Structure formats: structure tokens, C-alpha cells
Amino acid sequence: QVQLVESGGGLVQPGGSLRLSCTASGSILSISVMGWYRQAPGKGRELVATITSDGSTIYADSVKGRFTISSDNAKTTEYLQMNSLKPDDTAVYYCNAVLQTTTGALANYWGQGTQVTVSS
């Protein structure tokens, strides 16, 4: 069993900041990539940012310069620091991990999602 547990969502005013966290636990051998995706009402799920086990990062153009993805030394917890938030950033944010389980299987896991609302 593998679990991804997110925290840190909430309501923030435009221009404000939030920090999301996601911790992976369970029968994990290694994690290749962790990432954040988001889904706004009436829209599809989109990539926000990813970070690989060697620290390489990718960002959506819409968040470059405002959001920063990072991970802890154990590479099982990822963070998304979101600054200069805009109403367009309002969405449910999902944690994602591509990992190898202790049985050797390579699989893609998702967290339950955390709501981020940017509004005055």
C-alpha cells in the first residue's frame, strides 16, 4: 500500500502565499518523480510542476517565477511554495508520484487533492 497525503491548502487573498506539502508513505522502494497538478472547475487536470529524484524541475509557464517545487532529503516529501497568487490559481491541487514499490512494480500514485482558493 502506498499513500500520498497532502496538506496546506486554503483561502488566500490575491498576491498572497501558500505552501503545499505532500508526503509519500508505505511500500516504497524508490521515487522517480514527484509533482503537483491542478484542476480548476470545468477544466481538465494540468501540470503545475515536477521534481525528479536528482532535483531537476519543470514548471508550467503560468507559474514560472511564482511557484517553487522542492523535496526533503529523503525525497519522500515534496513542497510547493506558491507566491504572488492570482485568482486563476484557484483549483484543487493534486500530489503525484511515479515510484517503484517494494514488489518491484512501477506505478503512478495520486493524493486526494487539496483546495486552493485565491479570492478577495
Side-chain angles (χ1 to χ4, degrees), residues 58-75:
I58 293 175
Y59 294 94
D61 287 345
S62 59
V63 307
K64 281 181 182 176
R66 301 188 297 122
F67 291 10
T68 302
I69 189 170
S70 61
S71 62
D72 67 348
N73 288 337
K75 311 298 183 187

Side-chain angles (χ1 to χ4, degrees), residues 86-100:
K86 306 174 181 179
D88 284 349
D89 295 317
T90 295
V92 177
Y93 284 69
Y94 295 92
C95 172
N96 173 265
V98 177
L99 57 86
Q100 188 172 25

Side-chain angles (χ1 to χ4, degrees), residues 2 14 29-30 38 69-70 75-76 78-79 86 93-94 96 115 118 120:
V2 173
L29 185 62
S30 64
R38 66 187 182 186
I69 189 170
S70 61
K75 311 298 183 187
T76 56
E78 63 166 347
Y79 307 95
K86 306 174 181 179
Y93 284 69
Y94 295 92
N96 173 265
Q115 177 70 46
V118 185
S120 54

